[in-house]
Amino acid sequence: MAKTAKTGERSNPGQHDGFLGYRNFRWAWRAGALCVIAIAGYLLMDAEPRPNGGSVYGYAAGTIAALLVLWLTLLGLRKRAITSGNWSLKAWVSAHVYLGLAVMVVATLHSGFQFGWNIHTLAYALMVLVVVSGLFGITVYALLPRYLSRNRGETTQKQMLETLKALDRQINEAAQPLSEVQARVVQMSLDGSRVGGGLWRRLSGGRGGCGNQRALSRLRGLRRQATDVELQMLDRMEELLQRKAVALAQVRRHLQIRAWLSVWLAVHVPATIALIAAITAHVFSVFIYW
Amino acid sequence: MVKQRGGRVGTAVHAVCGPGATRGDVVEGVHRIAILGSGPAGLSAAAHAAARGVSHILLEKSDHLSDTIFRYQRGKHIMATPSQLVVRADVSFEPGKRETILDTWSSEAAKHKVNVRYHAEVKSITGAKGDFSIALSDGSVVRAETIVLAIGTQGNPNLMSCEGGGLSHVQYQLDDPAEYVDEHICVVGGGDAGIENALGLIADRAQGNTVTLVNRGADFARAKEANAKALLAAQEAGHITLLTTAETTLIEPGWITVDTPEGATRFRCDRVIARLGSAPPRKFVESIGLEFTSAAREAFPKLSPTFESTVPGIYVIGALAGYPLIKHCINQGYDVVEYIGGAVDLKPADEPILEARLKGLPGNRSVAQWLEFLRQEIEILRGLSPLQMREFLLDSDVRAYQSGDVIFKRNSVGSSVFGIASGSVEVEVGGGRKRMTVTIPRGSIVGEVGLISGRPRGATVRAAEPSILLEIPRMAALRLMASVKEARDTVNRITTERQLLQMFGSGLTPDDLTDVLETAEIRQVKTGEAIIREGEDGYDIFVVRSGSMVVEKQIGGKPVFLSYLPAGSYVGEMALIDGGRRSATVQAAIRSEVVRLDGDRFRALLRRKPELEEKLRADMADRRKVNGYIEEQKGKFGDVVDMYSAVADFLVEQGIGEATDVLLIDETLCIGCDNCEKACADVHDGLSRLDREAGRTYAHLHVPTSCRHCEHPYCMTDCPPNAIHRGPDGEVFIDETCIGCGNCQRNCPYDVIRMDSRPPKKPDLISWLLFGVGPGPGEPDKAWRAKHKPKGAEPPKVAIKCDMCIGKAGGPACVRACPTGAAIRVSPEEFLTVKRMNRGE
């Protein structure tokens, strides 16, 4: 699917396009054409007593939709098996996106708009869930990368975490001469400023109950009883905690964006597996009761 | 050795003017041989003369033998190279400490009863064969039938030519590195002397010296391999700073300014130790009447194969003969006494090696005849003395080809140069129907492209008739170019001529270019230096030989990036054809080399060759169109053009100017899945060659840590097994002969080479997907690797780097595996064009 570079070079500078606009929306056009044909067929085929999955048209549309779903699922394999061959994952993703949207149209037409509380409609509902979660995925893929880039600048995730560790070491050292009360406050920052954690925590940016934040506000309160010498040390400590707050904010934002970029897969992939199971059941039941 | 400091010896001397010019008080009879200088060569000659019972006298200026070695750093380890050479002499020589070697020589001199006269500084030599008079500075005269000059070249060091080179803290000698404490010292020169001085100064860290070594070349080709390695290891350990492809531009008290590829840098420097090599003490030698091979400063005296100079009876051996290595010197001492004693069929010690090498070649020549034949016939070798030629041949191979035999094939890997000693060769250029052959005649060279970039052979070359070719390995050729100016000039001339012929096409022949090339000048251009400035007069043409240029124009008070000129392009045609002032500024993106062609002569060429003018006009029209487009856009959409210009500047700053193919990541599309890294690891034995997150970013354009396949790869400069090559599509790759020395990793300024061993094989993808067996796609983590380590020895660590998925039809896996199209591979000349602006990127 990828255009091979000319001999004498390995790169393909003309090919700088995203997965959505790949090759001037090649797959959008193809998927659009598929939809147009499917709709035209639906309108032209005069199924009796009413359009349904059991008509000739219904079987054709159903087969196409089922095969498409299976092919779309193969993306999971494709993206992990980068071996030989002349293909590009971007092209696959582009096709996956547009054909996945087309499945929605084809499968709906296949149903003939007959819904009920049965395995057939369950399969349909799962498909809708998969497509909708996919749409969400497209949206975050299109919007979030620039924020991820802007937030991290030229810092890598590893460096961010190392910065935190280094700051913790410095805070620990600077806390040695402090009084017990003061040290206990600083300890909050060392013990209680988690990054990452559960899904919800990551998605929300996980600031809730941040030990560093509490340590900062409590430390300010302690200034009133501090001696001049202690004040100097507290100034230094406050500066360190401030720096840690900035570093924490960056890591958390980083993890937050990454969580949003991948959270939809937690719906998309299991729903796909359920969908395939439901389709299997749907096909079997149709053949058994035929 | 007799020291000839700054020509002190030569001042009072006149040419040979018959016997008895200066008599003084003659105290001795006539010796059979007088030997000047008691270094390895002179001492060996004296020892052999003593062993043979020949009357001789060894004149030494100082109060001890072998002053050059004596003046080596205390405790210095002296190496014995070339290793394949056998020593045949009456003094022995094994690699070892300076002190041990000097002791051995002293005791051997005593054993052979060598007749040494110390404090014997020679002022002049008069007379002729059979009765020379050697006047010494103490007024006495020594008489001898023959003279052996073994005075070396150390007394005449090459001086710093930059501003401030004459200051008192600039020295050309380092006797004892332990004398210097807590100093900022800058050693200039990457030869053995410079490297050893620098290493001596940092040997004891307690001395607290901060040492920087400045080397003009990118590599240390002139130095012994062991020295170069030790130096790089010291750099690795952070004990020394190395500035390569650097040149000193200014020395001030306490400071030094050095020009590097990244721009000029000024740093503290309390002492400059310049070890720039030395040249023969020419004034003195010429005053005796000896002729030199050429007028070049580095030229050596003209010698016969028996070391006899142009003055009968005076022989020259050792460094002054062009042989700085101790082993050669010692052998020559033995040989010269044999020759003086009348030996006619004496075979040099390396004769058996060369005989074996030349066996079976047509022509029935002796080794000496072969050497002379090759030296006479092959242009780049003409500046070599017969003795240098001998050493050169030890490194090279002579081959005979029948008519039609393939010398090398297009796209084959190889970096040697071929000199055509007889016959001629045909180069196949173009492909398919346009295929034609170009004949390269006797005397010229072929395959020279490998010298510069190590690119694979660009064309198939066959013998056009029965031919004899000398194959010179890359390192030997680089050494030759580094040490012999004529060879360097000849190679430069040939490469320039071929570049022009290839670039301009238009049916030009070498004869057409003679006139233009006569005044062509090769110029080094520093990063950021302009060769053409907007608005100035001038109509010379510039050809980019190496490196690259950017073209900028002031639009609306801001410099706007117009285009990028890679090596192999030319610029300056607009003013030449249309007249008028320069319309844009052309400056170096990276340190480059350009050829300046005289405008008037080029105009004359255009008049003779209308096809060429047509081509230039067509090129000019294209460039005008691009420039016009950008100016027009700037008028309408200033921001877009500013962005385009700023991104281009950023990329040039990141060294894209010397890249041929670089991985970029468009961070407006990158979701951070690291599929590029995983794919890279999976197609390369489980080790990724790229770090996506690391690297610089500008305007969402990220340059990850990954190989750029430089035009002139730094990694290739010092690879002992010569394991780094360029593939047919320009990929720089490391083959399986890597020995894991880490030189390439240290030399790479972009940190894209890592040393690692191949991890154990992973279970296949399906078992991971279904049963969770193995670490999954991508590089396995350390824990998994440790747990699944195969029994027995761990595979050795070798250098690994991007090979652009060489041989894989689909192209680089990193790009293929990117789900969103964020990862792109680009070549700068295509990426840095206005096409980008159209997309508003």
Side-chain angles (χ1 to χ4, degrees):
Chain A
M1 282 191 202
K3 187 184 128 219
T4 320
K6 284 180 287 183
T7 33
E9 57 179 41
R10 295 295 269 175
S11 64
N12 219 342
Q15 265 247 290
H16 182 192
D17 44 14
F19 67 100
L20 289 176
Y22 172 73
R23 295 263 179 122
N24 290 321
F25 298 90
R26 166 185 289 184
W27 288 100
W29 288 110
R30 290 182 185 177
L34 178 64
C35 293
V36 169
I37 292 168
I39 293 169
Y42 184 85
L43 297 176
L44 293 177
M45 293 277 190
D46 202 10
E48 284 301 327
R50 53 155 300 165
N52 69 78
S55 68
V56 175
Y57 175 84
Y59 275 126
T63 309
I64 289 171
L67 290 177
L68 269 177
V69 166
L70 288 178
W71 181 83
L72 292 167
T73 312
L74 286 178
L75 182 72
L77 270 184
R78 176 82 287 173
K79 83 168 188 187
R80 292 178 174 90
I82 298 294
T83 46
S84 47
N86 183 7
W87 51 271
S88 100
L89 188 59
K90 173 169 70 174
W92 270 70
V93 171
S94 191
H96 181 92
V97 163
Y98 292 113
L99 292 178
L101 291 171
V103 166
M104 183 92 161
V105 175
V106 176
T108 308
L109 296 175
H110 161 70
S111 77
F113 300 95
Q114 285 179 309
F115 300 109
W117 295 104
N118 52 32
I119 182 74
H120 317 295
T121 305
L122 174 66
Y124 184 83
L126 284 169
M127 182 209 65
V128 172
L129 180 61
V130 171
V131 173
V132 169
S133 63
L135 272 171
F136 181 82
I138 296 169
T139 316
V140 290
Y141 273 27
L143 294 178
L144 293 187
R146 65 195 67 223
Y147 295 105
L148 190 69
S149 165
R150 199 173 298 163
N151 175 62
R152 82 173 184 92
E154 288 172 356
T155 325
T156 65
Q157 182 173 312
K158 205 172 148 206
Q159 286 166 340
M160 291 181 208
L161 297 174
E162 273 164 9
T163 307
L164 275 184
K165 265 192 209 149
L167 279 171
D168 273 354
R169 263 198 310 276
Q170 288 179 40
I171 290 170
N172 189 32
E173 262 166 47
Q176 296 313 313
L178 295 182
S179 75
E180 206 193 322
V181 183
Q182 292 161 343
R184 217 178 299 132
V185 171
V186 173
Q187 196 64 37
M188 286 185 205
S189 164
L190 293 180
D191 292 342
S193 38
R194 242 169 7 122
V195 292
L199 180 66
W200 181 247
R201 208 180 149 80
R202 272 184 291 147
L203 285 176
S204 64
R207 255 179 308 275
C210 172
N212 190 64
Q213 212 50 49
R214 274 187 293 148
L216 256 177
S217 54
R218 293 277 284 279
L219 207 64
R220 285 183 195 130
L222 289 176
R223 293 181 72 92
R224 264 167 279 145
Q225 300 116 31
T227 66
D228 281 355
V229 180
E230 280 179 334
L231 266 181
Q232 259 181 20
M233 290 190 292
L234 289 182
D235 280 347
R236 158 108 181 102
M237 181 57 73
E238 193 174 331
E239 187 209 317
L240 284 171
L241 294 182
Q242 291 283 15
R243 276 169 58 195
K244 187 173 169 184
V246 173
L248 276 172
Q250 188 189 31
V251 185
R252 286 180 178 143
R253 178 101 175 106
H254 183 75
L255 295 177
Q256 183 186 21
I257 298 170
R258 292 199 62 162
W260 279 103
L261 278 170
S262 57
V263 65
W264 61 278
L265 281 170
V267 178
H268 196 70
V269 174
T272 302
I273 293 167
L275 168 62
I276 290 173
I279 290 176
T280 314
H282 157 68
V283 171
F284 266 99
S285 61
V286 166
F287 279 105
I288 287 166
Y289 295 110
W290 191 20
Chain B
M1 284 197 184
V2 178
K3 282 276 159 188
Q4 318 292 338
R5 256 174 218 290
R8 193 166 68 205
V9 169
T11 45
V13 203
H14 304 282
V16 181
C17 46
T22 336
R23 271 294 134 107
D25 41 344
V26 179
V27 287
E28 294 160 86
V30 180
H31 298 284
R32 176 81 181 97
I33 309 174
I35 299 148
L36 273 57
S38 71
L43 182 65
S44 167
H48 190 52
R52 282 192 45 161
V54 177
S55 82
H56 67 281
I57 185 164
L58 177 59
L59 301 174
E60 168 56 50
K61 182 195 69 174
S62 67
D63 64 352
H64 46 257
L65 291 174
S66 197
D67 191 49
T68 296
I69 313 287
F70 185 85
R71 279 167 166 270
Y72 275 178
Q73 281 165 211
R74 214 161 280 166
K76 168 179 151 73
H77 181 85
I78 297 171
M79 288 180 254
T81 50
S83 46
Q84 76 263 44
L85 192 64
V86 282
V87 171
R88 175 182 63 186
D90 292 290
V91 290
S92 54
F93 177 52
E94 291 286 330
K97 269 199 184 318
R98 160 192 175 272
E99 288 74 10
T100 320
I101 289 169
L102 287 174
D103 285 350
T104 312
W105 286 348
S106 292
S107 65
E108 281 173 344
K111 192 181 86 190
H112 289 298
K113 301 199 169 62
V114 170
N115 179 23
V116 195
R117 180 158 167 186
Y118 292 108
H119 303 293
E121 189 172 349
V122 176
K123 282 190 70 106
S124 68
I125 296 173
T126 52
K129 188 172 183 173
D131 190 6
F132 286 108
S133 294
I134 305 163
L136 304 183
S137 53
D138 62 4
S140 61
V141 173
V142 172
R143 290 174 61 197
E145 291 173 22
T146 52
I147 292 177
V148 174
L149 277 184
I151 57 178
T153 61
Q154 284 305 304
N156 190 26
N158 292 330
L159 304 179
M160 294 289 298
S161 56
C162 68
E163 198 182 321
L167 291 175
S168 61
H169 68 290
V170 179
Q171 62 190 57
Y172 296 93
Q173 172 85 35
L174 174 69
D175 294 342
D176 187 357
E179 280 174 33
Y180 307 106
V181 178
D182 287 333
E183 284 194 29
H184 289 256
I185 302 176
C186 186
V187 178
V188 185
D192 286 314
I195 295 180
E196 282 162 12
N197 284 175
L199 292 176
L201 288 165
I202 53 166
D204 184 0
R205 303 293 302 147
Q207 281 172 242
N209 292 319
T210 308
V211 180
T212 306
L213 187 135
V214 176
N215 185 29
R216 197 166 51 165
D219 46 20
F220 296 91
R222 280 166 104 144
K224 295 188 191 86
E225 213 172 288
N227 268 337
K229 268 195 191 158
L231 182 71
L232 293 170
Q235 179 197 31
E236 175 87 328
H239 296 160
I240 190 169
T241 311
L242 299 187
L243 298 175
T244 50
T245 45
E247 210 145 347
T248 315
T249 49
L250 174 66
I251 300 172
E252 302 154 273
W255 294 91
I256 190 166
T257 307
V258 176
D259 186 44
T260 70
E262 291 84 37
T265 160
R266 181 170 181 266
F267 53 92
R268 268 200 65 190
C269 170
D270 310 315
R271 184 180 303 280
V272 178
I273 298 175
R275 301 309 300 259
L276 308 170
S278 53
R282 187 154 182 159
K283 214 168 162 190
F284 170 68
V285 175
E286 277 183 332
S287 73
I288 309 167
L290 269 62
E291 286 171 30
F292 279 69
T293 50
S294 80
R297 181 175 154 84
E298 299 94 342
F300 294 100
K302 262 191 209 164
L303 297 178
S304 75
T306 59
F307 303 105
E308 195 164 11
S309 68
T310 49
V311 177
I314 298 186
Y315 295 76
V316 179
I317 55 172
L320 182 60
Y323 267 87
L325 297 175
I326 296 176
K327 267 188 168 177
H328 289 131
C329 292
I330 290 181
N331 279 347
Q332 287 168 7
Y334 176 97
D335 294 353
V336 77
V337 171
E338 287 290 316
Y339 287 133
I340 292 171
V344 279
D345 55 353
L346 177 75
K347 303 277 190 234
D350 52 18
E351 191 82 357
I353 304 171
L354 290 182
E355 258 171 15
R357 185 152 300 178
L358 297 167
K359 213 170 75 187
L361 288 169
N364 221 357
R365 294 181 178 89
S366 68
V367 170
Q369 285 168 332
W370 266 113
L371 290 171
E372 193 50 24
F373 167 70
L374 294 171
R375 193 174 73 91
Q376 286 300 328
E377 296 301 332
I378 300 173
E379 203 185 346
I380 58 166
L381 302 180
R382 281 182 203 150
L384 291 177
S385 70
L387 302 158
Q388 284 179 307
M389 193 54 219
R390 204 166 249 286
E391 184 192 10
F392 193 71
L393 198 59
L394 280 174
D395 289 333
S396 311
D397 255 325
V398 186
R399 300 229 170 90
Y401 294 88
Q402 292 306 313
S403 183
D405 281 358
V406 172
I407 293 156
F408 53 75
K409 274 213 154 81
R410 183 180 150 81
N411 283 344
S412 62
V413 173
S415 53
S416 52
V417 185
F418 289 81
I420 307 166
S422 77
S424 61
V425 302
E426 281 177 350
V427 182
E428 286 174 13
V429 285
R433 247 175 279 152
K434 277 175 148 179
R435 181 135 98 199
M436 50 182 278
T437 58
V438 174
T439 305
I440 297 181
R442 192 180 68 183
S444 192
I445 52 170
V446 64
E448 75 288 347
V449 180
L451 262 192
I452 301 166
S453 64
R455 274 187 183 275
R457 306 299 190 183
T460 300
V461 175
R462 292 170 202 278
E465 52 189 303
S467 309
I468 292 171
L469 271 66
L470 178 68
E471 180 171 6
I472 310 161
R474 181 166 182 258
M475 279 317 253
L478 288 177
R479 246 193 329 265
L480 172 71
M481 284 174 68
S483 52
V484 182
K485 189 177 172 298
E486 287 98 330
R488 189 160 62 233
D489 291 348
T490 309
V491 172
N492 281 343
R493 207 200 60 238
I494 292 173
T495 48
T496 306
E497 179 187 293
R498 291 194 185 151
Q499 188 181 6
L500 293 186
L501 289 177
Q502 194 186 4
M503 194 171 63
F504 290 128
S506 314
L508 285 184
T509 64
D511 291 339
D512 296 327
L513 290 174
T514 318
D515 185 44
V516 170
L517 284 176
E518 220 165 65
T519 54
E521 168 208 356
I522 293 184
R523 195 194 285 176
Q524 310 287 330
V525 195
K526 298 174 217 158
T527 308
E529 189 185 326
I531 50 168
I532 293 178
R533 272 181 208 81
E534 189 177 347
E536 73 180 0
D537 285 319
Y539 47 91
D540 288 341
I541 294 274
F542 290 89
V543 176
V544 186
R545 238 171 89 87
S546 70
S548 56
M549 301 275 146
V550 290
V551 184
E552 287 189 341
K553 189 178 173 68
Q554 292 283 336
I555 304 177
K558 272 190 208 161
V560 171
F561 178 92
L562 290 186
S563 57
Y564 170 87
L565 299 171
S569 44
Y570 68 94
V571 66
E573 78 290 350
M574 292 187 190
L576 181 83
I577 295 177
D578 276 6
R581 291 169 185 275
R582 298 292 195 187
S583 58
T585 297
V586 181
Q587 59 189 40
I590 191 89
R591 176 179 309 228
S592 310
E593 226 175 44
V594 296
V595 186
R596 193 186 62 80
L597 304 176
D598 183 73
D600 290 319
R601 291 190 181 223
F602 206 87
R603 267 189 190 155
L605 175 64
L606 291 185
R607 274 196 294 279
R608 286 198 306 274
K609 285 273 164 190
E611 306 100 295
L612 178 62
E613 179 162 356
E614 221 164 273
K615 177 187 158 45
L616 254 60
R617 279 189 184 280
D619 287 352
M620 183 176 78
D622 284 348
R623 289 179 179 180
R624 280 260 161 89
K625 221 161 98 189
V626 169
N627 297 357
Y629 173 77
I630 292 175
E631 283 183 53
E632 183 196 333
Q633 295 293 308
K634 172 80 183 170
K636 290 189 213 153
F637 316 103
D639 292 350
V640 174
V641 176
D642 285 349
M643 193 62 178
Y644 159 74
S645 191
V647 167
D649 286 345
F650 162 74
L651 289 176
V652 166
E653 222 167 79
Q654 292 314 303
I656 304 298
E658 61 180 337
T660 61
D661 195 305
V662 58
L663 176 66
L664 296 180
I665 290 179
D666 178 350
E667 290 209 330
T668 59
L669 288 170
C670 177
I671 53 167
C673 64
D674 280 334
N675 221 34
C676 44
E677 281 185 25
K678 288 178 192 154
C680 183
D682 282 353
V683 294
H684 292 115
D685 301 325
L687 293 171
S688 170
R689 288 112 198 268
L690 94 102
D691 186 344
R692 174 192 61 83
E693 250 189 329
R696 303 288 314 274
T697 311
Y698 180 81
H700 300 305
L701 199 56
H702 180 62
V703 187
T705 300
S706 154
C707 181
R708 301 108 192 276
H709 305 273
C710 299
E711 195 64 43
H712 300 273
Y714 297 89
C715 51
M716 233 185 245
T717 50
D718 186 20
C719 176
N722 208 2
I724 308 182
H725 314 282
R726 220 182 241 288
D729 293 337
E731 19 344 39
V732 176
F733 66 96
I734 305 177
D735 70 22
E736 66 291 341
T737 61
C738 173
I739 54 170
C741 70
N743 280 359
C744 52
Q745 187 197 25
R746 287 186 286 274
N747 284 339
C748 174
Y750 302 109
D751 281 335
V752 300
I753 301 181
R754 58 187 276 206
M755 309 297 299
D756 214 330
S757 56
R758 179 188 289 206
K761 212 172 151 39
K762 292 188 293 192
D764 60 35
L765 181 67
I766 297 295
S767 27
W768 172 77
L769 263 181
L770 297 182
F771 311 111
V773 184
E779 194 169 312
D781 57 37
K782 273 201 192 122
W784 188 86
R785 282 181 69 169
K787 207 173 143 197
H788 294 84
K789 202 167 69 177
K791 287 189 185 68
E794 201 181 341
K797 281 193 179 183
V798 292
I800 55 168
K801 70 175 280 298
C802 167
D803 59 2
M804 271 204 261
C805 295
I806 186 169
K808 297 206 165 49
C814 47
V815 175
R816 278 199 297 133
C818 179
T820 62
I824 50 174
R825 288 206 80 96
V826 300
S827 56
E829 60 265 41
E830 292 208 33
F831 192 66
L832 295 175
T833 61
V834 279
K835 275 188 262 165
R836 281 176 50 70
M837 205 162 62
N838 297 349
R839 288 200 291 263
E841 280 156 8

